[in-house]
Amino acid sequence: MTTSSRRYHITTFGCQMNKADSERMAGILEDMGFEWSEDPNDANVILYNTCTIRDNAEQKVYSYLGRQAKRKHQQPDLTLVVAGCVAQQEGESLLRRVPELDLVMGPQHANRLQDLLQQVFDGNQVVATEPVHIIEDITKPRRDSKVTAWVNVIYGCNERCTYCVVPNVRGVEQSRTPEAIRAEMEEIGRQGYPEVTLLGQNIDAYGRDLPGITPEGRRQNTLTDLLYYVHDVAGIERIRFATSHPRYFTERLIRACAELPKVCEHFHIPFQSGDNKLLKRMSRGYTHEKYRRIIHTIREYMPDAAISADAIVGFPGETEAQFENTLKLVEYIGFDLINTAAYSPRPGTPAALWDEQLSDEVKSDRLQRLNHLVATRAAERSQRYLGRVEEVLVEEQNTKNQAQLMGRTRGNRLTFFEGDISELKGKLVKVKITDCRAFSLTGELVGAPQVLSV
Ligand code: SAH
Ligand code: SF4
Ligand code: F3S
């Protein structure tokens, strides 16, 4: 391969975890001397970082792959890589389905990309899906945003929600050490990123696999301890974390969020269903009453906190009355945002094998009704911002209106206002809110941008 032919392209599907993995893999490729190519057709290493959370996510991957596999017949030096969750789920059978593939690698192998590619360049077709201890990465990620950075704190998931493939494809929980996390955040702070989002599929499980008990007999190295430990990292103005699990969410964590000024008043706590019998069959380990109590406690400490969640409709056996319990919970809480989905049976998960699978018609009818209620309640909640001055972190120009900028409030609400991106990108500004929609706000700049303590 000549130097001029060393161009790579990555397409990322799925969740923030995959986005973070892609940024690290891009960093590795750039270290190896590859250059980013926006157009996959100009690249000679193409990597698809895949998602299998629902069937439609998986099918999308196959249609992308099909196109590039054809191209490989004209351009044999093209290297085709499938990484991420479909790679882990399908393993070698992906090679039977798409023989043109050079490398199939599960999410736990992301940091080994250089090694694995070397094996490919040596003439091998490689499958790396065996469970491994994830090595601490020393390569610098190539971060997509210049404003907000992801930081993994725990990999994997030890829960066994009966609908979910994640534990099968992401492996067992593995926490990074507080020192490694802080070191990464210090680097991010030095590079001028004002915001960090700490990531884990079940971030409340952080530290369960690390040693340490306090003199009072409390487990050390919890997520709460971590927030206190990293809070003073210079340059970082905002800290977020996701995803929270209601089973493990503690009042101590809520208190820390209220106490620590950099931690944003935004909580992403999926409830999945508002029906106790269904929650039990999902193996979620909490009741809707417990969920309501958590939100009450958050609102006691931080009355204005933004609450978002995930919910599934049409789980096997879900009755109309059980679905209505989900609607009741949504009506009652008043979420700022919910990612809703129709249940999709996944290979290797218990619920996929159960009788009582619901028809697509029932699922899509319920999804529509839920989405309608979510939007109505979110629009109501949004009104509280009208006339207020909000702190907004400026991210980008509004792609739909070049005169406007886009940023997020501490509560993670998209906010649009007029301004100059070259002057304001990455700055915290004050915006007076003049118009509120269900999931976004419009406003006007007030005062000068704040000077960050970088
Ligand atoms: N770890 C997080 C979420 C992981 S997956 C949690 O515990 O909540 C992201 C979301 O996808 C889930 O919250 C769930 O709402 C949805 N999801 C997962 N499996 C699904 C399936 N089989 N069908 C439909 N939605 C699913
Ligand atoms: Fe999936 Fe449940 Fe783990 Fe979330 S907590 S990733 S829904 S198994
Ligand atoms: Fe998808 Fe894997 Fe994330 S299945 S949602 S990319 S953990």
Side-chain angles (χ1 to χ4, degrees):
M1 216 185 264
T2 63
T3 1
S4 62
S5 69
R6 289 172 81 86
R7 291 169 68 77
Y8 76 97
H9 172 89
I10 298 181
T11 296
T12 307
F13 305 87
C15 65
Q16 296 163 335
M17 235 68 57
N18 256 19
K19 292 188 181 126
D21 288 347
S22 285
E23 291 180 352
R24 285 205 312 279
M25 291 192 284
I28 292 171
L29 284 161
E30 298 208 346
D31 247 27
M32 292 171 73
F34 284 88
E35 272 176 44
W36 168 254
S37 161
E38 186 65 39
D39 181 357
N41 298 317
D42 276 348
N44 36 23
V45 171
I46 299 180
L47 187 152
Y48 290 110
N49 197 9
T50 61
C51 172
T52 181
I53 198 78
R54 287 180 281 275
D55 188 55
N56 54 4
E58 185 178 346
Q59 296 315 321
K60 214 175 342 167
V61 172
Y62 292 125
S63 82
Y64 275 62
L65 264 183
R67 262 171 272 157
Q68 293 304 334
K70 269 200 209 116
R71 205 182 122 207
K72 186 152 174 166
H73 294 282
Q74 279 95 53
Q75 193 190 326
D77 77 333
L78 181 67
T79 302
L80 268 183
V81 183
V82 178
C85 296
V86 174
Q88 185 65 38
Q89 179 182 277
E90 297 300 315
E92 269 182 45
S93 67
L94 254 181
L95 294 186
R96 282 193 292 276
R97 188 164 175 164
V98 189
E100 293 86 351
L101 288 179
D102 297 288
L103 169 58
V104 174
M105 54 186 287
Q108 297 176 59
H109 295 262
N111 294 353
R112 296 183 56 219
L113 180 62
Q114 176 159 11
D115 240 20
L116 298 170
L117 273 180
Q118 203 48 59
Q119 293 175 38
V120 170
F121 297 150
D122 291 344
N124 304 299
Q125 204 177 25
V126 182
V127 177
T129 51
E130 69 283 6
V132 287
H133 185 84
I134 297 167
I135 46 170
E136 222 7 268
D137 187 18
I138 38 153
T139 321
K140 301 253 175 303
R142 175 194 187 272
R143 300 187 192 272
D144 276 346
S145 164
K146 292 277 167 279
V147 177
T148 166
W150 317 112
V151 173
N152 283 103
V153 304
I154 178 169
Y155 304 105
C157 177
N158 287 6
E159 300 300 304
R160 284 277 157 196
C161 303
T162 50
Y163 50 82
C164 184
V165 299
V166 171
N168 302 349
V169 292
R170 288 266 161 185
V172 293
E173 287 167 5
Q174 185 188 322
S175 302
R176 292 175 70 199
T177 63
E179 293 76 19
I181 294 165
R182 190 178 162 107
E184 183 173 354
M185 285 177 70
E186 281 173 349
E187 179 65 25
I188 289 167
R190 274 194 292 275
Q191 290 168 355
Y193 289 85
E195 187 178 273
V196 159
T197 303
L198 306 177
L199 290 182
Q201 278 297 356
N202 171 6
I203 202 163
D204 304 84
Y206 176 74
R208 284 208 282 222
D209 54 329
L210 297 175
I213 301 284
T214 64
E216 307 81 55
R218 184 178 61 74
R219 178 166 67 84
Q220 242 166 0
N221 288 324
T222 62
L223 175 62
T224 311
D225 296 314
L226 181 69
L227 289 177
Y228 281 107
Y229 178 66
V230 299
H231 190 261
D232 65 344
V233 169
I236 291 167
E237 299 292 319
R238 283 180 169 185
I239 300 173
R240 304 182 185 279
F241 57 89
T243 302
S244 302
H245 195 307
R247 184 181 212 162
Y248 304 104
F249 205 83
T250 63
E251 184 160 353
R252 204 173 150 255
L253 176 64
I254 299 173
R255 226 179 304 132
C257 297
E259 225 171 83
L260 295 170
K262 291 183 186 178
V263 178
C264 291
E265 300 72 34
H266 169 223
F267 298 86
H268 184 68
I269 320 178
F271 59 87
Q272 314 299 2
S273 164
D275 183 84
N276 286 348
K277 210 165 148 203
L278 231 61
L279 284 170
K280 197 158 191 179
R281 300 209 309 140
M282 289 175 163
S283 286
R284 288 291 288 178
Y286 54 87
T287 58
H288 75 87
E289 290 90 349
K290 173 165 182 190
Y291 190 83
R292 286 170 200 239
R293 278 198 301 278
I294 292 172
I295 308 301
H296 271 294
T297 314
I298 291 174
R299 288 180 171 161
E300 257 166 42
Y301 282 88
M302 290 159 275
D304 196 38
I307 313 285
S308 60
D310 300 346
I312 299 176
V313 301
F315 187 72
E318 183 187 65
T319 63
E320 173 63 24
Q322 288 172 331
F323 167 64
E324 282 168 16
N325 284 336
T326 294
L327 294 179
K328 279 183 199 150
L329 185 66
V330 171
E331 177 67 46
Y332 177 83
I333 302 271
F335 290 91
D336 292 270
L337 178 79
I338 306 184
N339 306 316
T340 59
Y343 169 74
S344 166
R346 304 310 295 131
T349 62
L353 303 174
W354 294 347
D355 299 337
E356 325 165 89
Q357 302 287 332
L358 302 187
S359 70
D360 287 347
E361 289 73 32
V362 170
K363 288 193 243 184
S364 77
D365 171 64
R366 289 182 186 168
L367 188 59
Q368 265 179 29
R369 283 154 68 200
L370 177 60
N371 286 344
H372 181 73
L373 180 64
V374 169
T376 310
R377 291 293 281 126
E380 287 164 13
R381 278 214 33 96
S382 208
Q383 288 306 317
R384 73 191 194 281
Y385 291 109
L386 194 65
R388 268 204 223 164
V389 174
E390 284 286 311
E391 180 200 276
V392 173
L393 176 57
V394 183
E395 289 182 19
E396 302 283 352
Q397 226 160 15
N398 178 2
T399 41
K400 292 189 191 131
N401 176 351
Q402 299 281 310
Q404 283 186 337
L405 307 185
M406 183 279 274
R408 282 169 204 272
T409 64
R410 287 174 66 91
N412 211 33
R413 221 162 251 243
L414 283 177
T415 306
F416 302 102
F417 54 94
E418 285 185 9
D420 177 0
I421 192 69
S422 58
E423 183 199 348
L424 295 180
K425 185 162 181 154
K427 299 249 165 53
L428 288 170
V429 297
K430 299 274 187 230
V431 176
K432 180 158 190 207
I433 306 302
T434 52
D435 187 28
C436 308
R437 292 165 302 278
F439 307 111
S440 63
L441 308 169
T442 305
E444 292 160 1
L445 270 177
V446 287
Q450 276 164 260
V451 177
L452 299 183
S453 55
V454 189

